[in-house]
Amino acid sequence: MSKRSLILIAAAISLLFVSVMWQFAEPKIYFWAERVAATIFGKPFNQTSTQDPRGIPMQIYNTGETHYNPLFIAHDAQDANVSRRMGAKPDRFILLSDWLLENIVEMDSIALIQYDFDYPKYKQKAPWSSALTQAVTMNAIAARAGMERNLQMLNLARKMLESLKPGAAGLSYALSDSVVWFMEYPAQTPYYALSGMLTTLLELYYYYDQTRDPLAMELFNHGYNAVLQKLPEFDYHGYSYYDLNGSKAGRGYHQRHIKQLGRLMEIRDHNVLRYYRNRWQHADSYPVLWQMLFNPRPKRIAAFTLSFLALACLLYLLLASTQKSGKIDPEHS
């Protein structure tokens, strides 16, 4: 078989294989790529997770620095609480919620969980807080309060809820009296990060479901109105923006937006939510090569191309070696 034919066969098989893998497992590929990069180079391309000796989650960032990120700790605490309620031992839930309790800064009327490191991408200077992290932590603390029947802890969770009111801690932005955007990355003019906003809304509803606190429902209603108002601005040819600062959502975040809209619709349906959930879900089902054409993101295209070329080269060498080993030496025939 000619060299050209071997190249074409290797390229065709590789393109098909990589396309199928990316179609169904792209976010997982990125997840493992981050882990591999952190292991080999000491830092990931973006960020990946690890744990300290006690088992507290930490994040390794692309600067090579490792920090406690309270959002991930609070999420893990909520997961541990679910496991506890299903019969698992409460040890991990207590460990993680203890860390949160130790790191909450309590004031007269509000309480804040703070980041102790800068986040230059969104101009955050330590110490800073996030509406998203407040909301997730608030529910973890409320769950701990419920487990122990501890009114003091419940009051702490209530103070975290208070921090989400416009003007209380700079974590929310009032577009009008009944329209409020909760800021994952606080700023004088919001960045409008969609995933953080949707998760904050869901957490507000879950807090209301646990406590029947009318403030949680009021904030949920105002945030719900903000999502209905701003959601059309997040659409890009059937794909979603991560924020309204021009950042397009990666495949993982795009799929997260779809799931979050679905969960919000289960709480309160609306034709705006349904339209964009269905539109984005439909676009995500297109072949990845089609997606890259209509939603071009340079890093995604580069990662796909490198994966394809690496596999094509490997497959070509394998095919070429089988061709050589199959030849008959005329001198000894």
PDB file of all heavy atoms in Angstrom, residues 47-50 56-61 66-76 99-100 113-117 119 128 130 132-133 137 184-185:
ATOM      1  N   GLN A  47      -7.499  24.663  35.892  1.00  0.00           N
ATOM      2  CA  GLN A  47      -7.450  24.283  37.299  1.00  0.00           C
ATOM      3  C   GLN A  47      -7.914  22.841  37.467  1.00  0.00           C
ATOM      4  O   GLN A  47      -8.615  22.296  36.610  1.00  0.00           O
ATOM      5  CB  GLN A  47      -8.331  25.204  38.166  1.00  0.00           C
ATOM      6  CG  GLN A  47      -9.829  25.039  37.982  1.00  0.00           C
ATOM      7  CD  GLN A  47     -10.612  26.037  38.812  1.00  0.00           C
ATOM      8  OE1 GLN A  47     -10.623  27.237  38.505  1.00  0.00           O
ATOM      9  NE2 GLN A  47     -11.275  25.560  39.854  1.00  0.00           N
ATOM     10  N   THR A  48      -7.492  22.242  38.552  1.00  0.00           N
ATOM     11  CA  THR A  48      -7.908  20.878  38.874  1.00  0.00           C
ATOM     12  C   THR A  48      -7.919  20.742  40.385  1.00  0.00           C
ATOM     13  O   THR A  48      -7.460  21.631  41.110  1.00  0.00           O
ATOM     14  CB  THR A  48      -6.975  19.843  38.222  1.00  0.00           C
ATOM     15  OG1 THR A  48      -7.546  18.539  38.355  1.00  0.00           O
ATOM     16  CG2 THR A  48      -5.599  19.854  38.840  1.00  0.00           C
ATOM     17  N   SER A  49      -8.452  19.636  40.863  1.00  0.00           N
ATOM     18  CA  SER A  49      -8.667  19.488  42.300  1.00  0.00           C
ATOM     19  C   SER A  49      -7.653  18.550  42.940  1.00  0.00           C
ATOM     20  O   SER A  49      -7.075  17.677  42.284  1.00  0.00           O
ATOM     21  CB  SER A  49     -10.079  18.968  42.562  1.00  0.00           C
ATOM     22  OG  SER A  49     -10.281  17.731  41.899  1.00  0.00           O
ATOM     23  N   THR A  50      -7.456  18.757  44.234  1.00  0.00           N
ATOM     24  CA  THR A  50      -6.638  17.878  45.059  1.00  0.00           C
ATOM     25  C   THR A  50      -7.209  17.955  46.472  1.00  0.00           C
ATOM     26  O   THR A  50      -8.286  18.527  46.684  1.00  0.00           O
ATOM     27  CB  THR A  50      -5.154  18.296  45.013  1.00  0.00           C
ATOM     28  OG1 THR A  50      -4.384  17.339  45.725  1.00  0.00           O
ATOM     29  CG2 THR A  50      -4.932  19.670  45.597  1.00  0.00           C
ATOM     30  N   ILE A  56      -9.593  17.869  53.021  1.00  0.00           N
ATOM     31  CA  ILE A  56     -10.304  19.079  52.608  1.00  0.00           C
ATOM     32  C   ILE A  56      -9.953  19.373  51.148  1.00  0.00           C
ATOM     33  O   ILE A  56      -8.778  19.430  50.786  1.00  0.00           O
ATOM     34  CB  ILE A  56      -9.910  20.286  53.484  1.00  0.00           C
ATOM     35  CG1 ILE A  56     -10.127  19.987  54.966  1.00  0.00           C
ATOM     36  CG2 ILE A  56     -10.696  21.522  53.060  1.00  0.00           C
ATOM     37  CD1 ILE A  56     -11.543  19.797  55.377  1.00  0.00           C
ATOM     38  N   PRO A  57     -10.948  19.583  50.289  1.00  0.00           N
ATOM     39  CA  PRO A  57     -10.660  19.870  48.878  1.00  0.00           C
ATOM     40  C   PRO A  57      -9.843  21.145  48.695  1.00  0.00           C
ATOM     41  O   PRO A  57     -10.040  22.134  49.410  1.00  0.00           O
ATOM     42  CB  PRO A  57     -12.059  20.035  48.260  1.00  0.00           C
ATOM     43  CG  PRO A  57     -12.978  19.320  49.196  1.00  0.00           C
ATOM     44  CD  PRO A  57     -12.385  19.495  50.553  1.00  0.00           C
ATOM     45  N   MET A  58      -8.926  21.108  47.729  1.00  0.00           N
ATOM     46  CA  MET A  58      -8.157  22.275  47.327  1.00  0.00           C
ATOM     47  C   MET A  58      -8.133  22.325  45.807  1.00  0.00           C
ATOM     48  O   MET A  58      -8.386  21.315  45.142  1.00  0.00           O
ATOM     49  CB  MET A  58      -6.729  22.218  47.891  1.00  0.00           C
ATOM     50  CG  MET A  58      -6.642  22.114  49.395  1.00  0.00           C
ATOM     51  SD  MET A  58      -4.929  22.235  50.003  1.00  0.00           S
ATOM     52  CE  MET A  58      -4.625  24.001  49.828  1.00  0.00           C
ATOM     53  N   GLN A  59      -7.830  23.493  45.277  1.00  0.00           N
ATOM     54  CA  GLN A  59      -7.746  23.668  43.837  1.00  0.00           C
ATOM     55  C   GLN A  59      -6.328  24.063  43.441  1.00  0.00           C
ATOM     56  O   GLN A  59      -5.723  24.944  44.058  1.00  0.00           O
ATOM     57  CB  GLN A  59      -8.727  24.741  43.363  1.00  0.00           C
ATOM     58  CG  GLN A  59     -10.181  24.356  43.511  1.00  0.00           C
ATOM     59  CD  GLN A  59     -10.571  23.216  42.602  1.00  0.00           C
ATOM     60  OE1 GLN A  59     -10.445  23.296  41.383  1.00  0.00           O
ATOM     61  NE2 GLN A  59     -11.062  22.130  43.190  1.00  0.00           N
ATOM     62  N   ILE A  60      -5.806  23.379  42.409  1.00  0.00           N
ATOM     63  CA  ILE A  60      -4.516  23.742  41.822  1.00  0.00           C
ATOM     64  C   ILE A  60      -4.808  24.600  40.598  1.00  0.00           C
ATOM     65  O   ILE A  60      -5.554  24.175  39.697  1.00  0.00           O
ATOM     66  CB  ILE A  60      -3.709  22.507  41.406  1.00  0.00           C
ATOM     67  CG1 ILE A  60      -3.596  21.511  42.564  1.00  0.00           C
ATOM     68  CG2 ILE A  60      -2.319  22.916  40.928  1.00  0.00           C
ATOM     69  CD1 ILE A  60      -2.984  20.179  42.162  1.00  0.00           C
ATOM     70  N   TYR A  61      -4.235  25.800  40.551  1.00  0.00           N
ATOM     71  CA  TYR A  61      -4.516  26.734  39.454  1.00  0.00           C
ATOM     72  C   TYR A  61      -3.363  26.760  38.455  1.00  0.00           C
ATOM     73  O   TYR A  61      -2.282  26.223  38.716  1.00  0.00           O
ATOM     74  CB  TYR A  61      -4.791  28.127  40.018  1.00  0.00           C
ATOM     75  CG  TYR A  61      -6.092  28.174  40.797  1.00  0.00           C
ATOM     76  CD1 TYR A  61      -6.109  27.890  42.164  1.00  0.00           C
ATOM     77  CD2 TYR A  61      -7.300  28.439  40.158  1.00  0.00           C
ATOM     78  CE1 TYR A  61      -7.304  27.908  42.884  1.00  0.00           C
ATOM     79  CE2 TYR A  61      -8.485  28.452  40.862  1.00  0.00           C
ATOM     80  CZ  TYR A  61      -8.489  28.182  42.216  1.00  0.00           C
ATOM     81  OH  TYR A  61      -9.667  28.174  42.925  1.00  0.00           O
ATOM     82  N   THR A  66      -1.776  26.529  44.896  1.00  0.00           N
ATOM     83  CA  THR A  66      -2.851  25.687  45.422  1.00  0.00           C
ATOM     84  C   THR A  66      -3.568  26.444  46.529  1.00  0.00           C
ATOM     85  O   THR A  66      -2.920  26.978  47.440  1.00  0.00           O
ATOM     86  CB  THR A  66      -2.296  24.357  45.970  1.00  0.00           C
ATOM     87  OG1 THR A  66      -1.612  23.673  44.913  1.00  0.00           O
ATOM     88  CG2 THR A  66      -3.419  23.465  46.485  1.00  0.00           C
ATOM     89  N   HIS A  67      -4.893  26.513  46.439  1.00  0.00           N
ATOM     90  CA  HIS A  67      -5.674  27.282  47.405  1.00  0.00           C
ATOM     91  C   HIS A  67      -6.919  26.502  47.829  1.00  0.00           C
ATOM     92  O   HIS A  67      -7.453  25.690  47.062  1.00  0.00           O
ATOM     93  CB  HIS A  67      -6.135  28.615  46.802  1.00  0.00           C
ATOM     94  CG  HIS A  67      -5.023  29.560  46.466  1.00  0.00           C
ATOM     95  ND1 HIS A  67      -4.331  30.276  47.422  1.00  0.00           N
ATOM     96  CD2 HIS A  67      -4.488  29.901  45.261  1.00  0.00           C
ATOM     97  CE1 HIS A  67      -3.418  31.032  46.830  1.00  0.00           C
ATOM     98  NE2 HIS A  67      -3.481  30.822  45.518  1.00  0.00           N
ATOM     99  N   TYR A  68      -7.395  26.817  49.023  1.00  0.00           N
ATOM    100  CA  TYR A  68      -8.722  26.377  49.432  1.00  0.00           C
ATOM    101  C   TYR A  68      -9.739  27.263  48.716  1.00  0.00           C
ATOM    102  O   TYR A  68      -9.706  28.486  48.842  1.00  0.00           O
ATOM    103  CB  TYR A  68      -8.910  26.514  50.945  1.00  0.00           C
ATOM    104  CG  TYR A  68      -8.065  25.572  51.759  1.00  0.00           C
ATOM    105  CD1 TYR A  68      -6.941  26.038  52.444  1.00  0.00           C
ATOM    106  CD2 TYR A  68      -8.397  24.223  51.863  1.00  0.00           C
ATOM    107  CE1 TYR A  68      -6.165  25.183  53.202  1.00  0.00           C
ATOM    108  CE2 TYR A  68      -7.616  23.353  52.621  1.00  0.00           C
ATOM    109  CZ  TYR A  68      -6.506  23.834  53.284  1.00  0.00           C
ATOM    110  OH  TYR A  68      -5.734  22.981  54.038  1.00  0.00           O
ATOM    111  N   ASN A  69     -10.643  26.639  47.965  1.00  0.00           N
ATOM    112  CA  ASN A  69     -11.719  27.376  47.316  1.00  0.00           C
ATOM    113  C   ASN A  69     -13.017  27.008  48.040  1.00  0.00           C
ATOM    114  O   ASN A  69     -13.484  25.870  47.933  1.00  0.00           O
ATOM    115  CB  ASN A  69     -11.805  27.012  45.834  1.00  0.00           C
ATOM    116  CG  ASN A  69     -12.843  27.837  45.087  1.00  0.00           C
ATOM    117  OD1 ASN A  69     -13.925  28.094  45.583  1.00  0.00           O
ATOM    118  ND2 ASN A  69     -12.507  28.227  43.859  1.00  0.00           N
ATOM    119  N   PRO A  70     -13.601  27.929  48.800  1.00  0.00           N
ATOM    120  CA  PRO A  70     -14.764  27.582  49.617  1.00  0.00           C
ATOM    121  C   PRO A  70     -15.960  27.066  48.821  1.00  0.00           C
ATOM    122  O   PRO A  70     -16.770  26.308  49.358  1.00  0.00           O
ATOM    123  CB  PRO A  70     -15.096  28.888  50.345  1.00  0.00           C
ATOM    124  CG  PRO A  70     -14.373  29.960  49.611  1.00  0.00           C
ATOM    125  CD  PRO A  70     -13.178  29.329  48.999  1.00  0.00           C
ATOM    126  N   LEU A  71     -16.061  27.439  47.553  1.00  0.00           N
ATOM    127  CA  LEU A  71     -17.179  26.941  46.747  1.00  0.00           C
ATOM    128  C   LEU A  71     -17.122  25.428  46.611  1.00  0.00           C
ATOM    129  O   LEU A  71     -18.131  24.730  46.790  1.00  0.00           O
ATOM    130  CB  LEU A  71     -17.157  27.597  45.359  1.00  0.00           C
ATOM    131  CG  LEU A  71     -18.194  27.071  44.361  1.00  0.00           C
ATOM    132  CD1 LEU A  71     -19.607  27.302  44.875  1.00  0.00           C
ATOM    133  CD2 LEU A  71     -17.992  27.714  42.996  1.00  0.00           C
ATOM    134  N   PHE A  72     -15.945  24.895  46.307  1.00  0.00           N
ATOM    135  CA  PHE A  72     -15.800  23.455  46.124  1.00  0.00           C
ATOM    136  C   PHE A  72     -15.983  22.715  47.453  1.00  0.00           C
ATOM    137  O   PHE A  72     -16.548  21.620  47.487  1.00  0.00           O
ATOM    138  CB  PHE A  72     -14.434  23.140  45.516  1.00  0.00           C
ATOM    139  CG  PHE A  72     -14.308  23.565  44.082  1.00  0.00           C
ATOM    140  CD1 PHE A  72     -13.960  24.867  43.750  1.00  0.00           C
ATOM    141  CD2 PHE A  72     -14.549  22.666  43.053  1.00  0.00           C
ATOM    142  CE1 PHE A  72     -13.851  25.267  42.427  1.00  0.00           C
ATOM    143  CE2 PHE A  72     -14.446  23.051  41.717  1.00  0.00           C
ATOM    144  CZ  PHE A  72     -14.099  24.356  41.406  1.00  0.00           C
ATOM    145  N   ILE A  73     -15.523  23.326  48.536  1.00  0.00           N
ATOM    146  CA  ILE A  73     -15.683  22.711  49.854  1.00  0.00           C
ATOM    147  C   ILE A  73     -17.163  22.667  50.229  1.00  0.00           C
ATOM    148  O   ILE A  73     -17.657  21.653  50.738  1.00  0.00           O
ATOM    149  CB  ILE A  73     -14.864  23.478  50.907  1.00  0.00           C
ATOM    150  CG1 ILE A  73     -13.366  23.389  50.554  1.00  0.00           C
ATOM    151  CG2 ILE A  73     -15.114  22.926  52.310  1.00  0.00           C
ATOM    152  CD1 ILE A  73     -12.479  24.299  51.382  1.00  0.00           C
ATOM    153  N   ALA A  74     -17.889  23.757  49.950  1.00  0.00           N
ATOM    154  CA  ALA A  74     -19.316  23.802  50.264  1.00  0.00           C
ATOM    155  C   ALA A  74     -20.102  22.806  49.412  1.00  0.00           C
ATOM    156  O   ALA A  74     -21.026  22.144  49.901  1.00  0.00           O
ATOM    157  CB  ALA A  74     -19.848  25.221  50.056  1.00  0.00           C
ATOM    158  N   HIS A  75     -19.743  22.688  48.131  1.00  0.00           N
ATOM    159  CA  HIS A  75     -20.408  21.699  47.262  1.00  0.00           C
ATOM    160  C   HIS A  75     -20.178  20.285  47.799  1.00  0.00           C
ATOM    161  O   HIS A  75     -21.110  19.476  47.865  1.00  0.00           O
ATOM    162  CB  HIS A  75     -19.862  21.801  45.836  1.00  0.00           C
ATOM    163  CG  HIS A  75     -20.661  22.697  44.950  1.00  0.00           C
ATOM    164  ND1 HIS A  75     -22.020  22.534  44.747  1.00  0.00           N
ATOM    165  CD2 HIS A  75     -20.291  23.764  44.184  1.00  0.00           C
ATOM    166  CE1 HIS A  75     -22.453  23.473  43.919  1.00  0.00           C
ATOM    167  NE2 HIS A  75     -21.435  24.231  43.563  1.00  0.00           N
ATOM    168  N   ASP A  76     -18.934  19.989  48.171  1.00  0.00           N
ATOM    169  CA  ASP A  76     -18.632  18.663  48.702  1.00  0.00           C
ATOM    170  C   ASP A  76     -19.348  18.416  50.030  1.00  0.00           C
ATOM    171  O   ASP A  76     -19.755  17.295  50.330  1.00  0.00           O
ATOM    172  CB  ASP A  76     -17.118  18.499  48.877  1.00  0.00           C
ATOM    173  CG  ASP A  76     -16.410  18.170  47.571  1.00  0.00           C
ATOM    174  OD1 ASP A  76     -17.053  18.294  46.516  1.00  0.00           O
ATOM    175  OD2 ASP A  76     -15.229  17.786  47.610  1.00  0.00           O
ATOM    176  N   TRP A  99     -14.962  23.209  58.507  1.00  0.00           N
ATOM    177  CA  TRP A  99     -14.047  24.120  57.811  1.00  0.00           C
ATOM    178  C   TRP A  99     -14.790  25.389  57.399  1.00  0.00           C
ATOM    179  O   TRP A  99     -14.274  26.507  57.567  1.00  0.00           O
ATOM    180  CB  TRP A  99     -13.441  23.447  56.583  1.00  0.00           C
ATOM    181  CG  TRP A  99     -12.356  24.264  55.940  1.00  0.00           C
ATOM    182  CD1 TRP A  99     -11.020  24.160  56.131  1.00  0.00           C
ATOM    183  CD2 TRP A  99     -12.537  25.348  55.002  1.00  0.00           C
ATOM    184  NE1 TRP A  99     -10.341  25.102  55.379  1.00  0.00           N
ATOM    185  CE2 TRP A  99     -11.246  25.844  54.674  1.00  0.00           C
ATOM    186  CE3 TRP A  99     -13.643  25.943  54.407  1.00  0.00           C
ATOM    187  CZ2 TRP A  99     -11.048  26.895  53.790  1.00  0.00           C
ATOM    188  CZ3 TRP A  99     -13.449  27.009  53.530  1.00  0.00           C
ATOM    189  CH2 TRP A  99     -12.168  27.472  53.229  1.00  0.00           C
ATOM    190  N   LEU A 100     -15.993  25.229  56.874  1.00  0.00           N
ATOM    191  CA  LEU A 100     -16.782  26.390  56.468  1.00  0.00           C
ATOM    192  C   LEU A 100     -17.088  27.279  57.668  1.00  0.00           C
ATOM    193  O   LEU A 100     -16.934  28.511  57.602  1.00  0.00           O
ATOM    194  CB  LEU A 100     -18.082  25.937  55.801  1.00  0.00           C
ATOM    195  CG  LEU A 100     -17.931  25.176  54.484  1.00  0.00           C
ATOM    196  CD1 LEU A 100     -19.274  24.593  54.055  1.00  0.00           C
ATOM    197  CD2 LEU A 100     -17.372  26.069  53.375  1.00  0.00           C
ATOM    198  N   ILE A 113     -18.416  34.209  53.611  1.00  0.00           N
ATOM    199  CA  ILE A 113     -17.331  33.257  53.387  1.00  0.00           C
ATOM    200  C   ILE A 113     -16.432  33.901  52.339  1.00  0.00           C
ATOM    201  O   ILE A 113     -16.917  34.313  51.276  1.00  0.00           O
ATOM    202  CB  ILE A 113     -17.855  31.866  52.944  1.00  0.00           C
ATOM    203  CG1 ILE A 113     -16.722  30.855  52.855  1.00  0.00           C
ATOM    204  CG2 ILE A 113     -18.644  31.931  51.656  1.00  0.00           C
ATOM    205  CD1 ILE A 113     -16.315  30.260  54.159  1.00  0.00           C
ATOM    206  N   GLN A 114     -15.151  34.025  52.628  1.00  0.00           N
ATOM    207  CA  GLN A 114     -14.278  34.835  51.789  1.00  0.00           C
ATOM    208  C   GLN A 114     -13.160  34.020  51.134  1.00  0.00           C
ATOM    209  O   GLN A 114     -12.718  33.006  51.679  1.00  0.00           O
ATOM    210  CB  GLN A 114     -13.656  35.965  52.624  1.00  0.00           C
ATOM    211  CG  GLN A 114     -14.690  36.936  53.164  1.00  0.00           C
ATOM    212  CD  GLN A 114     -14.062  38.047  53.993  1.00  0.00           C
ATOM    213  OE1 GLN A 114     -13.095  37.827  54.722  1.00  0.00           O
ATOM    214  NE2 GLN A 114     -14.605  39.250  53.893  1.00  0.00           N
ATOM    215  N   TYR A 115     -12.744  34.489  49.972  1.00  0.00           N
ATOM    216  CA  TYR A 115     -11.586  33.939  49.272  1.00  0.00           C
ATOM    217  C   TYR A 115     -10.339  34.676  49.765  1.00  0.00           C
ATOM    218  O   TYR A 115     -10.336  35.905  49.837  1.00  0.00           O
ATOM    219  CB  TYR A 115     -11.730  34.133  47.762  1.00  0.00           C
ATOM    220  CG  TYR A 115     -12.767  33.235  47.132  1.00  0.00           C
ATOM    221  CD1 TYR A 115     -14.118  33.555  47.189  1.00  0.00           C
ATOM    222  CD2 TYR A 115     -12.383  32.074  46.475  1.00  0.00           C
ATOM    223  CE1 TYR A 115     -15.066  32.733  46.609  1.00  0.00           C
ATOM    224  CE2 TYR A 115     -13.324  31.240  45.891  1.00  0.00           C
ATOM    225  CZ  TYR A 115     -14.672  31.571  45.957  1.00  0.00           C
ATOM    226  OH  TYR A 115     -15.604  30.757  45.399  1.00  0.00           O
ATOM    227  N   ASP A 116      -9.282  33.907  50.063  1.00  0.00           N
ATOM    228  CA  ASP A 116      -8.057  34.532  50.566  1.00  0.00           C
ATOM    229  C   ASP A 116      -6.981  34.644  49.491  1.00  0.00           C
ATOM    230  O   ASP A 116      -5.803  34.791  49.796  1.00  0.00           O
ATOM    231  CB  ASP A 116      -7.521  33.764  51.781  1.00  0.00           C
ATOM    232  CG  ASP A 116      -7.120  32.325  51.441  1.00  0.00           C
ATOM    233  OD1 ASP A 116      -7.261  31.918  50.264  1.00  0.00           O
ATOM    234  OD2 ASP A 116      -6.658  31.607  52.344  1.00  0.00           O
ATOM    235  N   PHE A 117      -7.391  34.570  48.221  1.00  0.00           N
ATOM    236  CA  PHE A 117      -6.446  34.740  47.117  1.00  0.00           C
ATOM    237  C   PHE A 117      -7.083  35.581  46.024  1.00  0.00           C
ATOM    238  O   PHE A 117      -8.313  35.617  45.883  1.00  0.00           O
ATOM    239  CB  PHE A 117      -5.977  33.391  46.563  1.00  0.00           C
ATOM    240  CG  PHE A 117      -7.090  32.514  46.031  1.00  0.00           C
ATOM    241  CD1 PHE A 117      -7.436  32.517  44.686  1.00  0.00           C
ATOM    242  CD2 PHE A 117      -7.795  31.668  46.885  1.00  0.00           C
ATOM    243  CE1 PHE A 117      -8.450  31.715  44.188  1.00  0.00           C
ATOM    244  CE2 PHE A 117      -8.811  30.849  46.411  1.00  0.00           C
ATOM    245  CZ  PHE A 117      -9.137  30.875  45.054  1.00  0.00           C
ATOM    246  N   TYR A 119      -8.138  36.777  42.202  1.00  0.00           N
ATOM    247  CA  TYR A 119      -8.573  36.118  40.972  1.00  0.00           C
ATOM    248  C   TYR A 119      -8.537  37.167  39.855  1.00  0.00           C
ATOM    249  O   TYR A 119      -9.539  37.821  39.553  1.00  0.00           O
ATOM    250  CB  TYR A 119      -9.964  35.526  41.146  1.00  0.00           C
ATOM    251  CG  TYR A 119     -10.361  34.552  40.050  1.00  0.00           C
ATOM    252  CD1 TYR A 119      -9.531  33.505  39.688  1.00  0.00           C
ATOM    253  CD2 TYR A 119     -11.573  34.694  39.390  1.00  0.00           C
ATOM    254  CE1 TYR A 119      -9.884  32.614  38.695  1.00  0.00           C
ATOM    255  CE2 TYR A 119     -11.944  33.797  38.385  1.00  0.00           C
ATOM    256  CZ  TYR A 119     -11.099  32.767  38.048  1.00  0.00           C
ATOM    257  OH  TYR A 119     -11.458  31.883  37.051  1.00  0.00           O
ATOM    258  N   TRP A 128     -12.290  38.532  49.092  1.00  0.00           N
ATOM    259  CA  TRP A 128     -13.493  38.838  48.329  1.00  0.00           C
ATOM    260  C   TRP A 128     -14.508  37.717  48.505  1.00  0.00           C
ATOM    261  O   TRP A 128     -14.166  36.609  48.906  1.00  0.00           O
ATOM    262  CB  TRP A 128     -13.166  39.047  46.848  1.00  0.00           C
ATOM    263  CG  TRP A 128     -12.562  37.860  46.141  1.00  0.00           C
ATOM    264  CD1 TRP A 128     -11.267  37.469  46.194  1.00  0.00           C
ATOM    265  CD2 TRP A 128     -13.236  36.937  45.267  1.00  0.00           C
ATOM    266  NE1 TRP A 128     -11.064  36.349  45.415  1.00  0.00           N
ATOM    267  CE2 TRP A 128     -12.256  35.997  44.829  1.00  0.00           C
ATOM    268  CE3 TRP A 128     -14.536  36.808  44.809  1.00  0.00           C
ATOM    269  CZ2 TRP A 128     -12.560  34.954  43.961  1.00  0.00           C
ATOM    270  CZ3 TRP A 128     -14.843  35.770  43.935  1.00  0.00           C
ATOM    271  CH2 TRP A 128     -13.863  34.857  43.523  1.00  0.00           C
ATOM    272  N   SER A 130     -18.385  35.894  46.961  1.00  0.00           N
ATOM    273  CA  SER A 130     -19.150  35.607  45.750  1.00  0.00           C
ATOM    274  C   SER A 130     -20.568  35.218  46.133  1.00  0.00           C
ATOM    275  O   SER A 130     -20.773  34.448  47.076  1.00  0.00           O
ATOM    276  CB  SER A 130     -18.470  34.462  44.991  1.00  0.00           C
ATOM    277  OG  SER A 130     -19.349  33.878  44.048  1.00  0.00           O
ATOM    278  N   LEU A 132     -22.508  33.293  44.540  1.00  0.00           N
ATOM    279  CA  LEU A 132     -22.617  31.853  44.322  1.00  0.00           C
ATOM    280  C   LEU A 132     -22.108  31.083  45.535  1.00  0.00           C
ATOM    281  O   LEU A 132     -22.782  30.183  46.057  1.00  0.00           O
ATOM    282  CB  LEU A 132     -21.823  31.469  43.071  1.00  0.00           C
ATOM    283  CG  LEU A 132     -21.558  29.974  42.845  1.00  0.00           C
ATOM    284  CD1 LEU A 132     -22.869  29.215  42.672  1.00  0.00           C
ATOM    285  CD2 LEU A 132     -20.655  29.768  41.638  1.00  0.00           C
ATOM    286  N   THR A 133     -20.919  31.407  45.993  1.00  0.00           N
ATOM    287  CA  THR A 133     -20.318  30.700  47.124  1.00  0.00           C
ATOM    288  C   THR A 133     -21.112  30.936  48.405  1.00  0.00           C
ATOM    289  O   THR A 133     -21.269  30.024  49.226  1.00  0.00           O
ATOM    290  CB  THR A 133     -18.855  31.131  47.298  1.00  0.00           C
ATOM    291  OG1 THR A 133     -18.183  31.014  46.036  1.00  0.00           O
ATOM    292  CG2 THR A 133     -18.144  30.267  48.317  1.00  0.00           C
ATOM    293  N   THR A 137     -22.727  27.757  50.399  1.00  0.00           N
ATOM    294  CA  THR A 137     -22.304  27.613  51.796  1.00  0.00           C
ATOM    295  C   THR A 137     -23.492  27.759  52.739  1.00  0.00           C
ATOM    296  O   THR A 137     -23.614  27.015  53.731  1.00  0.00           O
ATOM    297  CB  THR A 137     -21.229  28.661  52.128  1.00  0.00           C
ATOM    298  OG1 THR A 137     -20.124  28.518  51.237  1.00  0.00           O
ATOM    299  CG2 THR A 137     -20.745  28.516  53.556  1.00  0.00           C
ATOM    300  N   GLU A 184     -21.517  36.326  40.722  1.00  0.00           N
ATOM    301  CA  GLU A 184     -20.483  35.357  41.085  1.00  0.00           C
ATOM    302  C   GLU A 184     -19.159  36.077  41.308  1.00  0.00           C
ATOM    303  O   GLU A 184     -18.381  35.708  42.198  1.00  0.00           O
ATOM    304  CB  GLU A 184     -20.342  34.302  39.992  1.00  0.00           C
ATOM    305  CG  GLU A 184     -19.309  33.241  40.301  1.00  0.00           C
ATOM    306  CD  GLU A 184     -19.257  32.138  39.251  1.00  0.00           C
ATOM    307  OE1 GLU A 184     -20.051  32.172  38.286  1.00  0.00           O
ATOM    308  OE2 GLU A 184     -18.402  31.235  39.399  1.00  0.00           O
ATOM    309  N   TYR A 185     -18.902  37.086  40.475  1.00  0.00           N
ATOM    310  CA  TYR A 185     -17.695  37.907  40.590  1.00  0.00           C
ATOM    311  C   TYR A 185     -18.145  39.352  40.784  1.00  0.00           C
ATOM    312  O   TYR A 185     -18.472  40.036  39.805  1.00  0.00           O
ATOM    313  CB  TYR A 185     -16.831  37.774  39.337  1.00  0.00           C
ATOM    314  CG  TYR A 185     -16.556  36.347  38.935  1.00  0.00           C
ATOM    315  CD1 TYR A 185     -17.199  35.781  37.831  1.00  0.00           C
ATOM    316  CD2 TYR A 185     -15.688  35.549  39.672  1.00  0.00           C
ATOM    317  CE1 TYR A 185     -16.959  34.468  37.470  1.00  0.00           C
ATOM    318  CE2 TYR A 185     -15.449  34.235  39.319  1.00  0.00           C
ATOM    319  CZ  TYR A 185     -16.095  33.700  38.216  1.00  0.00           C
ATOM    320  OH  TYR A 185     -15.864  32.400  37.865  1.00  0.00           O
TER     321      TYR A 185
END
